[in-house]
Coordinates of all heavy atoms in Angstrom, one line a residue:
M1 N 79.8 76.9 79.5 CA 79.8 77.8 80.6 C 78.5 78.6 80.5 O 78.2 79.2 79.5 CB 81.0 78.7 80.6 CG 81.1 79.7 81.7 SD 82.5 80.8 81.6 CE 83.8 79.6 81.9
A2 N 77.8 78.8 81.6 CA 76.6 79.5 81.6 C 76.9 81.0 81.5 O 77.9 81.5 82.0 CB 75.8 79.2 82.9
D3 N 76.0 81.8 80.9 CA 76.1 83.2 80.8 C 75.9 83.8 82.2 O 75.1 83.4 82.9 CB 75.1 83.8 79.8 CG 75.4 83.5 78.4 OD1 76.6 83.3 78.1 OD2 74.5 83.4 77.6
H4 N 76.7 84.8 82.5 CA 76.6 85.6 83.7 C 75.8 86.8 83.4 O 76.3 87.7 82.7 CB 78.0 85.9 84.3 CG 77.9 86.7 85.5 ND1 77.0 86.6 86.5 CD2 78.7 87.8 85.9 CE1 77.3 87.5 87.4 NE2 78.3 88.2 87.1
D5 N 74.6 87.0 83.9 CA 73.7 88.1 83.5 C 74.3 89.4 83.8 O 74.0 90.4 83.1 CB 72.4 88.0 84.3 CG 71.6 86.8 83.8 OD1 71.8 86.3 82.7 OD2 70.7 86.3 84.6
L6 N 75.2 89.6 84.8 CA 75.7 90.9 85.1 C 77.0 91.3 84.4 O 77.4 92.4 84.5 CB 76.0 90.9 86.6 CG 74.8 90.7 87.6 CD1 75.3 90.6 89.0 CD2 73.8 91.8 87.4
T7 N 77.5 90.4 83.6 CA 78.8 90.7 82.9 C 78.8 91.9 82.1 O 79.6 92.8 82.3 CB 79.2 89.5 82.0 OG1 79.4 88.4 82.9 CG2 80.6 89.8 81.4
D8 N 77.8 92.1 81.2 CA 77.8 93.3 80.3 C 77.5 94.5 81.2 O 78.2 95.5 81.0 CB 76.7 93.2 79.3 CG 77.0 92.1 78.3 OD1 78.1 91.8 78.1 OD2 76.0 91.6 77.7
H9 N 76.7 94.4 82.2 CA 76.4 95.5 83.0 C 77.6 95.9 83.8 O 78.0 97.1 83.9 CB 75.2 95.2 84.0 CG 75.0 96.2 85.1 ND1 74.4 97.4 84.8 CD2 75.3 96.2 86.4 CE1 74.3 98.1 85.9 NE2 74.9 97.4 86.9
D10 N 78.3 94.9 84.4 CA 79.5 95.2 85.2 C 80.6 95.9 84.4 O 81.2 96.8 84.9 CB 80.0 93.9 85.8 CG 79.1 93.3 86.9 OD1 78.2 94.0 87.4 OD2 79.3 92.1 87.2
L11 N 80.8 95.4 83.2 CA 81.9 96.0 82.4 C 81.6 97.4 81.9 O 82.5 98.2 81.8 CB 82.2 95.0 81.2 CG 82.8 93.7 81.7 CD1 83.1 92.8 80.4 CD2 84.1 93.8 82.5
S12 N 80.3 97.6 81.6 CA 80.0 99.0 81.1 C 79.9 100.0 82.3 O 80.0 101.2 82.0 CB 78.7 98.9 80.3 OG 77.6 98.6 81.2
N13 N 79.6 99.6 83.5 CA 79.5 100.5 84.6 C 80.5 100.2 85.7 O 80.2 100.6 86.8 CB 78.0 100.3 85.2 CG 77.0 100.8 84.2 OD1 77.1 101.8 83.6 ND2 76.0 99.9 84.0
R14 N 81.6 99.7 85.4 CA 82.6 99.3 86.4 C 83.2 100.6 87.0 O 83.2 101.6 86.4 CB 83.6 98.4 85.8 CG 84.5 99.0 84.7 CD 85.4 98.0 84.1 NE 86.2 98.7 83.1 CZ 87.0 98.1 82.3 NH1 87.0 96.7 82.2 NH2 87.7 98.7 81.4
S15 N 83.7 100.4 88.2 CA 84.2 101.5 89.0 C 85.7 101.5 89.0 O 86.3 102.1 89.9 CB 83.7 101.4 90.4 OG 84.1 100.2 91.0
Y16 N 86.3 100.9 88.0 CA 87.8 100.9 87.9 C 88.1 100.9 86.4 O 87.4 100.6 85.5 CB 88.3 99.6 88.5 CG 87.7 98.3 87.9 CD1 88.3 97.7 86.8 CD2 86.6 97.8 88.5 CE1 87.7 96.6 86.3 CE2 86.0 96.6 87.9 CZ 86.6 96.1 86.8 OH 86.0 94.9 86.3
G17 N 89.4 101.3 86.1 CA 89.9 101.4 84.8 C 90.8 100.2 84.5 O 91.1 99.3 85.3
D18 N 91.2 100.1 83.2 CA 92.1 99.0 82.8 C 93.4 98.9 83.6 O 93.8 97.8 84.0 CB 92.4 99.1 81.3 CG 91.2 98.9 80.4 OD1 90.3 98.2 80.9 OD2 91.2 99.4 79.3
A19 N 94.0 100.1 83.9 CA 95.2 100.1 84.6 C 95.0 99.6 86.1 O 95.8 98.8 86.6 CB 95.9 101.5 84.7
E20 N 93.9 100.0 86.6 CA 93.5 99.5 88.0 C 93.3 98.0 88.0 O 93.7 97.3 88.9 CB 92.3 100.3 88.5 CG 92.6 101.7 88.8 CD 91.4 102.5 89.1 OE1 90.4 102.4 88.3 OE2 91.4 103.3 90.1
F21 N 92.6 97.5 87.0 CA 92.4 96.1 87.0 C 93.7 95.3 86.8 O 93.9 94.3 87.4 CB 91.4 95.6 85.9 CG 91.1 94.2 86.0 CD1 90.2 93.7 86.9 CD2 91.8 93.2 85.2 CE1 90.0 92.3 87.1 CE2 91.6 91.9 85.4 CZ 90.7 91.4 86.3
T22 N 94.6 95.8 85.9 CA 95.9 95.2 85.7 C 96.7 95.1 87.0 O 97.2 94.0 87.3 CB 96.7 96.0 84.7 OG1 96.0 96.0 83.4 CG2 98.1 95.4 84.5
E23 N 96.6 96.1 87.8 CA 97.3 96.1 89.1 C 96.6 95.1 90.1 O 97.3 94.3 90.7 CB 97.3 97.5 89.8 CG 97.9 97.5 91.2 CD 97.7 98.9 91.9 OE1 97.6 99.9 91.2 OE2 97.7 98.9 93.1
F24 N 95.3 95.1 90.1 CA 94.5 94.2 90.9 C 94.8 92.7 90.4 O 95.0 91.9 91.3 CB 93.0 94.5 90.7 CG 92.0 93.5 91.3 CD1 91.8 93.6 92.6 CD2 91.4 92.6 90.5 CE1 90.9 92.7 93.2 CE2 90.5 91.7 91.0 CZ 90.2 91.7 92.4
A25 N 94.8 92.5 89.1 CA 95.1 91.1 88.6 C 96.5 90.7 89.0 O 96.7 89.5 89.4 CB 94.9 91.1 87.1
G26 N 97.4 91.6 89.1 CA 98.8 91.2 89.5 C 98.8 90.8 90.9 O 99.5 89.8 91.3
K27 N 98.1 91.5 91.8 CA 98.0 91.1 93.2 C 97.4 89.7 93.3 O 97.9 88.9 94.1 CB 97.2 92.1 94.0 CG 97.8 93.5 94.1 CD 96.9 94.5 94.8 CE 97.5 95.9 94.8 NZ 98.7 96.1 95.5
I28 N 96.3 89.5 92.6 CA 95.6 88.2 92.7 C 96.5 87.1 92.2 O 96.7 86.0 92.8 CB 94.3 88.2 91.8 CG1 93.3 89.2 92.3 CG2 93.7 86.8 91.7 CD1 92.6 88.9 93.5
A29 N 97.2 87.3 91.1 CA 98.1 86.4 90.4 C 99.2 86.0 91.4 O 99.6 84.8 91.5 CB 98.7 86.9 89.1
S30 N 99.8 86.9 92.1 CA 100.9 86.6 93.0 C 100.4 85.8 94.2 O 101.2 84.9 94.7 CB 101.6 87.9 93.5 OG 100.7 88.6 94.3
I31 N 99.2 85.9 94.6 CA 98.7 85.1 95.7 C 98.3 83.7 95.3 O 98.6 82.8 96.0 CB 97.5 85.8 96.3 CG1 97.9 87.2 96.9 CG2 96.8 84.9 97.4 CD1 96.7 88.1 97.3
I32 N 97.7 83.6 94.1 CA 97.2 82.3 93.7 C 98.2 81.5 92.8 O 98.0 80.4 92.4 CB 95.8 82.3 93.1 CG1 95.8 83.1 91.7 CG2 94.8 82.9 94.0 CD1 94.5 83.0 91.0
G33 N 99.3 82.2 92.4 CA 100.3 81.5 91.6 C 100.0 81.2 90.1 O 100.3 80.2 89.6
V34 N 99.3 82.2 89.5 CA 99.0 82.1 88.0 C 99.5 83.3 87.4 O 99.6 84.4 88.0 CB 97.5 81.9 87.7 CG1 97.0 80.6 88.4 CG2 96.7 83.1 88.1
P35 N 99.8 83.3 86.1 CA 100.2 84.5 85.4 C 99.1 85.5 85.3 O 97.9 85.2 85.1 CB 100.6 84.0 84.0 CG 100.8 82.6 84.1 CD 99.9 82.1 85.2
A36 N 99.4 86.8 85.6 CA 98.4 87.8 85.6 C 97.7 87.9 84.3 O 96.5 88.3 84.2 CB 99.0 89.2 86.0
A37 N 98.4 87.6 83.2 CA 97.9 87.7 81.8 C 96.7 86.8 81.6 O 95.9 87.0 80.7 CB 99.0 87.5 80.8
R38 N 96.6 85.7 82.5 CA 95.5 84.8 82.3 C 94.2 85.2 83.0 O 93.2 84.6 82.9 CB 95.9 83.4 82.9 CG 97.0 82.7 82.1 CD 97.3 81.3 82.6 NE 96.1 80.5 82.9 CZ 96.0 79.5 83.7 NH1 97.0 79.2 84.4 NH2 94.9 78.9 83.9
L39 N 94.3 86.4 83.7 CA 93.2 86.9 84.5 C 92.6 88.0 83.8 O 93.3 88.9 83.3 CB 93.6 87.3 85.9 CG 94.3 86.2 86.7 CD1 94.8 86.7 88.1 CD2 93.4 85.0 86.9
S40 N 91.3 88.1 83.7 CA 90.5 89.2 83.1 C 89.3 89.5 84.0 O 89.0 88.7 84.9 CB 90.1 88.8 81.7 OG 88.9 87.9 81.8
P41 N 88.6 90.6 83.8 CA 87.4 90.9 84.5 C 86.4 89.8 84.4 O 85.5 89.6 85.3 CB 86.9 92.2 83.9 CG 88.2 92.8 83.4 CD 89.0 91.7 82.9
D42 N 86.4 89.0 83.3 CA 85.4 87.9 83.1 C 85.8 86.6 83.7 O 85.1 85.6 83.6 CB 85.3 87.7 81.6 CG 84.6 88.9 80.9 OD1 83.7 89.5 81.5 OD2 85.0 89.2 79.7
T43 N 87.0 86.5 84.3 CA 87.5 85.3 84.9 C 86.5 84.9 86.1 O 86.3 85.7 87.0 CB 88.9 85.4 85.5 OG1 89.8 85.7 84.4 CG2 89.4 84.1 86.2
V44 N 86.0 83.7 86.0 CA 85.0 83.3 87.1 C 85.9 82.8 88.3 O 86.7 82.0 88.1 CB 84.1 82.2 86.5 CG1 83.2 81.6 87.6 CG2 83.3 82.7 85.3
V45 N 85.6 83.4 89.4 CA 86.3 83.1 90.6 C 86.3 81.6 90.9 O 87.3 81.0 91.3 CB 85.8 83.9 91.8 CG1 86.5 83.6 93.1 CG2 86.0 85.4 91.5
A46 N 85.1 81.0 90.8 CA 85.0 79.6 91.1 C 85.9 78.7 90.2 O 86.4 77.6 90.6 CB 83.6 79.1 91.0
D47 N 86.2 79.2 89.0 CA 87.1 78.4 88.1 C 88.5 78.5 88.5 O 89.3 77.7 87.9 CB 86.9 79.0 86.6 CG 85.6 78.7 86.0 OD1 84.8 77.9 86.6 OD2 85.2 79.3 85.0
L48 N 88.9 79.3 89.4 CA 90.3 79.4 89.9 C 90.6 78.3 90.8 O 91.8 78.0 91.0 CB 90.5 80.8 90.6 CG 90.4 82.0 89.7 CD1 90.5 83.3 90.5 CD2 91.4 82.0 88.5
G49 N 89.7 77.5 91.3 CA 89.9 76.4 92.2 C 90.6 76.7 93.5 O 91.5 76.0 93.9
L50 N 90.3 77.8 94.1 CA 90.9 78.3 95.3 C 90.6 77.4 96.5 O 89.4 77.1 96.7 CB 90.6 79.7 95.6 CG 90.9 80.7 94.5 CD1 90.5 82.1 95.0 CD2 92.4 80.7 94.2
E51 N 91.5 77.0 97.2 CA 91.3 76.3 98.5 C 90.9 77.3 99.5 O 91.1 78.5 99.4 CB 92.6 75.5 98.9 CG 92.9 74.4 98.0 CD 94.2 73.7 98.4 OE1 94.7 74.0 99.6 OE2 94.7 72.9 97.7
S52 N 90.3 76.8 100.6 CA 89.7 77.7 101.6 C 90.8 78.6 102.2 O 90.6 79.8 102.4 CB 89.1 76.9 102.8 OG 88.6 77.7 103.8
M53 N 92.0 78.1 102.5 CA 93.0 78.9 103.1 C 93.5 80.0 102.1 O 93.9 81.1 102.5 CB 94.2 78.1 103.7 CG 93.8 77.3 104.9 SD 93.2 78.4 106.3 CE 94.7 79.3 106.6
T54 N 93.6 79.6 100.9 CA 94.0 80.6 99.9 C 93.0 81.7 99.7 O 93.4 82.9 99.6 CB 94.2 79.9 98.5 OG1 95.2 78.8 98.7 CG2 94.8 80.8 97.5
T55 N 91.8 81.4 99.8 CA 90.7 82.4 99.8 C 90.8 83.3 101.0 O 90.7 84.5 100.8 CB 89.3 81.7 99.8 OG1 89.2 80.8 98.6 CG2 88.2 82.7 99.7
V56 N 91.0 82.8 102.1 CA 91.2 83.6 103.3 C 92.4 84.5 103.1 O 92.4 85.7 103.4 CB 91.3 82.8 104.6 CG1 91.8 83.6 105.8 CG2 90.0 82.0 104.9
E57 N 93.5 84.0 102.7 CA 94.7 84.8 102.4 C 94.5 85.9 101.4 O 94.9 87.0 101.6 CB 95.9 83.9 101.9 CG 97.1 84.6 101.6 CD 98.2 83.8 101.0 OE1 98.0 82.5 100.9 OE2 99.3 84.3 100.6
L58 N 93.7 85.6 100.4 CA 93.4 86.5 99.3 C 92.6 87.7 99.9 O 92.8 88.8 99.7 CB 92.6 85.8 98.2 CG 92.3 86.6 97.0 CD1 93.5 87.2 96.3 CD2 91.5 85.8 96.0
V59 N 91.5 87.3 100.7 CA 90.7 88.3 101.3 C 91.5 89.3 102.2 O 91.4 90.5 102.1 CB 89.5 87.7 102.1 CG1 88.8 88.7 103.0 CG2 88.5 87.0 101.1
V60 N 92.3 88.7 103.1 CA 93.2 89.5 104.0 C 94.1 90.4 103.2 O 94.3 91.6 103.5 CB 93.9 88.6 105.0 CG1 95.0 89.3 105.8 CG2 92.9 87.9 105.9
D61 N 94.8 89.8 102.2 CA 95.8 90.6 101.4 C 95.1 91.7 100.7 O 95.6 92.9 100.6 CB 96.5 89.7 100.5 CG 97.6 88.9 101.1 OD1 97.8 89.0 102.4 OD2 98.2 88.0 100.4
L62 N 93.9 91.5 100.1 CA 93.2 92.6 99.4 C 92.8 93.6 100.3 O 92.8 94.8 100.0 CB 92.0 92.0 98.6 CG 92.4 91.1 97.4 CD1 91.1 90.5 96.8 CD2 93.1 91.9 96.3
Q63 N 92.3 93.3 101.5 CA 91.9 94.3 102.5 C 93.1 95.1 102.9 O 93.0 96.4 103.0 CB 91.4 93.6 103.8 CG 90.1 93.0 103.7 CD 89.6 92.4 105.0 OE1 88.5 92.8 105.4 NE2 90.3 91.5 105.6
E64 N 94.3 94.5 103.1 CA 95.5 95.3 103.5 C 95.9 96.1 102.3 O 96.3 97.3 102.5 CB 96.6 94.3 103.9 CG 96.3 93.7 105.3 CD 97.3 92.6 105.7 OE1 98.2 92.4 104.9 OE2 97.1 92.1 106.8
D65 N 96.0 95.6 101.1 CA 96.5 96.3 100.0 C 95.6 97.5 99.6 O 96.1 98.5 99.2 CB 96.6 95.4 98.7 CG 97.7 94.4 98.9 OD1 98.6 94.5 99.7 OD2 97.8 93.4 98.1
Y66 N 94.3 97.4 99.7 CA 93.4 98.4 99.3 C 92.8 99.2 100.5 O 92.0 100.1 100.3 CB 92.3 97.9 98.4 CG 92.8 97.4 97.1 CD1 93.1 96.1 96.8 CD2 93.1 98.4 96.1 CE1 93.6 95.7 95.5 CE2 93.6 98.0 94.9 CZ 93.8 96.7 94.6 OH 94.3 96.3 93.4
D67 N 93.1 98.8 101.7 CA 92.6 99.4 102.9 C 91.1 99.5 102.9 O 90.5 100.6 103.1 CB 93.2 100.8 103.1 CG 93.0 101.4 104.5 OD1 92.8 100.5 105.4 OD2 93.0 102.6 104.7
V68 N 90.4 98.4 102.6 CA 89.0 98.3 102.6 C 88.6 97.1 103.4 O 89.4 96.2 103.7 CB 88.4 98.1 101.2 CG1 88.7 99.3 100.3 CG2 88.9 96.8 100.5
L69 N 87.3 97.1 103.9 CA 86.8 95.9 104.6 C 86.2 95.0 103.6 O 85.4 95.4 102.7 CB 85.7 96.3 105.6 CG 86.3 97.1 106.8 CD1 85.1 97.6 107.7 CD2 87.3 96.3 107.6
L70 N 86.5 93.7 103.7 CA 86.0 92.7 102.7 C 85.9 91.4 103.5 O 86.8 90.9 104.0 CB 87.1 92.5 101.6 CG 86.7 91.6 100.5 CD1 85.5 92.1 99.7 CD2 87.9 91.4 99.6
S71 N 84.6 91.0 103.6 CA 84.4 89.7 104.4 C 84.5 88.5 103.5 O 84.4 88.6 102.2 CB 83.0 89.8 105.0 OG 82.0 89.7 104.0
R72 N 84.6 87.4 104.0 CA 84.6 86.1 103.3 C 83.2 86.0 102.5 O 83.2 85.6 101.4 CB 84.8 85.0 104.2 CG 84.6 83.6 103.6 CD 85.7 83.3 102.6 NE 85.3 82.2 101.8 CZ 85.9 81.0 101.9 NH1 86.8 80.8 102.7 NH2 85.5 80.0 101.1
E73 N 82.2 86.5 103.2 CA 80.8 86.5 102.5 C 80.8 87.4 101.3 O 80.2 87.0 100.3 CB 79.7 86.9 103.5 CG 79.5 85.9 104.6 CD 80.6 85.9 105.7 OE1 81.2 87.0 105.9 OE2 80.7 84.9 106.4
D74 N 81.5 88.5 101.4 CA 81.6 89.4 100.2 C 82.2 88.6 99.1 O 81.8 88.7 97.9 CB 82.4 90.7 100.5 CG 81.7 91.7 101.4 OD1 80.4 91.7 101.4 OD2 82.4 92.4 102.1
F75 N 83.3 88.0 99.4 CA 84.0 87.2 98.4 C 83.2 86.1 97.8 O 83.2 85.9 96.6 CB 85.3 86.6 99.0 CG 86.2 86.0 98.0 CD1 87.1 86.8 97.3 CD2 86.2 84.7 97.7 CE1 88.0 86.3 96.4 CE2 87.1 84.1 96.8 CZ 88.0 84.9 96.1
D76 N 82.4 85.4 98.6 CA 81.5 84.4 98.2 C 80.4 84.9 97.3 O 79.9 84.1 96.5 CB 80.9 83.6 99.4 CG 81.9 82.8 100.1 OD1 83.0 82.5 99.5 OD2 81.7 82.4 101.3
D77 N 80.0 86.2 97.4 CA 78.9 86.7 96.7 C 79.3 87.2 95.3 O 78.4 87.5 94.5 CB 78.3 87.9 97.4 CG 77.5 87.5 98.7 OD1 77.1 86.3 98.7 OD2 77.3 88.3 99.5
V78 N 80.6 87.3 95.0 CA 81.0 87.7 93.7 C 81.2 86.5 92.7 O 81.5 85.4 93.2 CB 82.3 88.5 93.7 CG1 82.2 89.8 94.5 CG2 83.5 87.7 94.2
T79 N 80.9 86.8 91.4 CA 81.1 85.7 90.5 C 82.4 85.8 89.7 O 83.1 84.8 89.5 CB 79.9 85.7 89.5 OG1 78.7 85.6 90.2 CG2 80.0 84.6 88.5
T80 N 82.7 87.0 89.3 CA 83.9 87.2 88.4 C 84.9 88.0 89.1 O 84.6 88.7 90.1 CB 83.6 87.8 87.1 OG1 83.1 89.1 87.3 CG2 82.5 87.0 86.3
L81 N 86.2 88.0 88.6 CA 87.2 89.0 89.1 C 86.8 90.4 88.9 O 87.1 91.3 89.7 CB 88.5 88.7 88.5 CG 89.2 87.4 89.0 CD1 90.6 87.3 88.3 CD2 89.3 87.3 90.5
G82 N 86.0 90.7 87.8 CA 85.5 92.0 87.6 C 84.5 92.4 88.7 O 84.6 93.6 89.1
D83 N 83.7 91.5 89.1 CA 82.8 91.8 90.2 C 83.6 92.1 91.5 O 83.2 93.0 92.2 CB 81.9 90.6 90.5 CG 81.0 90.2 89.4 OD1 80.7 91.0 88.5 OD2 80.5 89.0 89.4
L84 N 84.6 91.3 91.8 CA 85.4 91.5 93.0 C 86.2 92.9 92.9 O 86.2 93.6 93.9 CB 86.4 90.4 93.1 CG 87.3 90.4 94.4 CD1 86.5 90.5 95.7 CD2 88.3 89.2 94.4
A85 N 86.7 93.1 91.7 CA 87.4 94.4 91.6 C 86.4 95.6 91.8 O 86.7 96.6 92.5 CB 88.1 94.5 90.2
G86 N 85.3 95.5 91.2 CA 84.2 96.5 91.3 C 83.9 96.7 92.8 O 83.7 97.9 93.2
L87 N 83.7 95.6 93.5 CA 83.3 95.7 94.9 C 84.4 96.5 95.7 O 84.2 97.4 96.5 CB 83.2 94.3 95.5 CG 82.9 94.2 97.0 CD1 81.5 94.8 97.3 CD2 82.9 92.8 97.4
I88 N 85.7 96.1 95.5 CA 86.8 96.7 96.2 C 86.9 98.2 95.8 O 87.0 99.1 96.7 CB 88.1 96.0 95.9 CG1 88.1 94.6 96.6 CG2 89.3 96.8 96.3 CD1 89.2 93.7 96.2
F89 N 86.9 98.5 94.5 CA 87.1 99.9 94.1 C 85.9 100.8 94.5 O 86.1 102.0 94.7 CB 87.4 100.0 92.6 CG 88.8 99.5 92.3 CD1 89.0 98.3 91.6 CD2 89.9 100.3 92.6 CE1 90.3 97.9 91.4 CE2 91.2 99.9 92.4 CZ 91.4 98.7 91.7
Q90 N 84.7 100.2 94.6 CA 83.6 101.0 95.1 C 83.7 101.3 96.6 O 83.2 102.3 97.1 CB 82.3 100.2 94.9 CG 81.8 100.2 93.5 CD 80.6 99.3 93.3 OE1 80.1 98.6 94.3 NE2 80.0 99.3 92.1
R91 N 84.5 100.5 97.3 CA 84.6 100.7 98.8 C 85.8 101.6 99.1 O 86.0 102.0 100.2 CB 84.8 99.4 99.5 CG 83.5 98.6 99.5 CD 83.6 97.4 100.3 NE 82.3 96.7 100.2 CZ 82.0 95.6 100.8 NH1 83.0 95.0 101.5 NH2 80.8 95.1 100.7
L92 N 86.6 101.9 98.1 CA 87.8 102.9 98.3 C 87.2 104.2 98.6 O 86.2 104.6 98.1 CB 88.6 102.9 97.1 CG 89.5 101.7 96.7 CD1 90.2 102.0 95.4 CD2 90.5 101.4 97.8
P93 N 88.0 105.0 99.4 CA 87.6 106.4 99.7 C 87.5 107.1 98.3 O 88.2 106.8 97.4 CB 88.7 107.0 100.5 CG 89.4 105.8 101.1 CD 89.2 104.6 100.1
Q94 N 86.6 108.1 98.2 CA 86.4 108.8 97.0 C 87.8 109.3 96.5 O 88.5 109.9 97.3 CB 85.4 110.0 97.2 CG 84.0 109.5 97.2 CD 83.6 108.9 95.9 OE1 83.8 107.8 95.6 NE2 82.9 109.7 95.1
R95 N 88.0 109.1 95.2 CA 89.2 109.6 94.6 C 88.8 110.7 93.6 O 87.6 110.7 93.2 CB 90.0 108.5 93.9 CG 90.4 107.4 94.8 CD 91.0 106.3 94.1 NE 89.9 105.5 93.5 CZ 90.1 104.4 92.8 NH1 91.3 104.0 92.5 NH2 89.1 103.8 92.3
D96 N 89.7 111.5 93.2 CA 89.5 112.5 92.2 C 89.2 111.8 90.9 O 90.1 111.2 90.3 CB 90.6 113.5 92.0 CG 90.8 114.3 93.3 OD1 89.8 114.7 93.9 OD2 92.0 114.7 93.6
R97 N 88.0 111.8 90.4 CA 87.6 111.3 89.1 C 86.7 112.2 88.4 O 85.9 112.9 89.0 CB 86.8 110.0 89.3 CG 87.6 108.8 89.9 CD 86.7 107.6 89.9 NE 87.4 106.6 90.6 CZ 87.1 105.3 90.5 NH1 86.1 104.9 89.8 NH2 87.7 104.4 91.2
N98 N 86.8 112.3 87.1 CA 86.0 113.1 86.3 C 85.1 112.3 85.4 O 85.4 111.3 85.0 CB 86.8 114.1 85.5 CG 87.5 115.1 86.4 OD1 87.0 115.5 87.4 ND2 88.7 115.6 86.0

């Protein structure tokens, strides 16, 4: 598997915590039918083997669950689930964070 140049950067500067990713992974797992424990921020989206309709369902469900706009192109531009989570959590309205 080729190295993903952004992985270290994404994980050190990510816009979500472990608990948020666990919740996110649970949502993804329920849609694609895999155990959430098998998903990590390093999971490569292309390795999930998603069919086109499943991808559309995933995009729609994530938009509804997180109340963010997410296009199919946005989804196509991410490499890992960590990238996708970061994109979604960056688009959330500002939350109280210290």
Side-chain angles (χ1 to χ4, degrees):
M1 179 182 294
D3 289 333
H4 175 43
D5 293 337
L6 298 177
T7 300
D8 293 335
H9 173 73
D10 291 344
L11 294 178
S12 64
N13 294 310
R14 64 187 184 191
S15 59
Y16 56 89
D18 291 338
E20 290 170 312
F21 185 82
T22 299
E23 178 185 334
F24 173 79
K27 292 176 188 295
I28 299 283
S30 69
I31 295 166
I32 66 173
V34 301
R38 290 186 49 204
L39 303 177
S40 76
D42 294 325
T43 300
V44 176
V45 174
D47 291 347
L48 296 174
L50 302 178
E51 294 180 6
S52 182
M53 287 305 296
T54 304
T55 302
V56 170
E57 178 184 357
L58 184 61
V59 169
V60 169
D61 286 356
L62 290 172
Q63 287 184 122
E64 291 174 357
D65 288 347
Y66 290 101
D67 196 25
V68 296
L69 293 177
L70 183 66
S71 70
R72 172 65 193 256
E73 291 77 24
D74 288 332
F75 190 84
D76 290 341
D77 288 342
V78 299
T79 302
T80 65
L81 288 182
D83 296 339
L84 181 58
L87 177 66
I88 289 170
F89 286 108
Q90 286 175 354
R91 291 186 179 177
L92 289 176
Q94 283 296 79
R95 296 175 284 178
D96 293 327
R97 292 185 187 195
N98 292 328

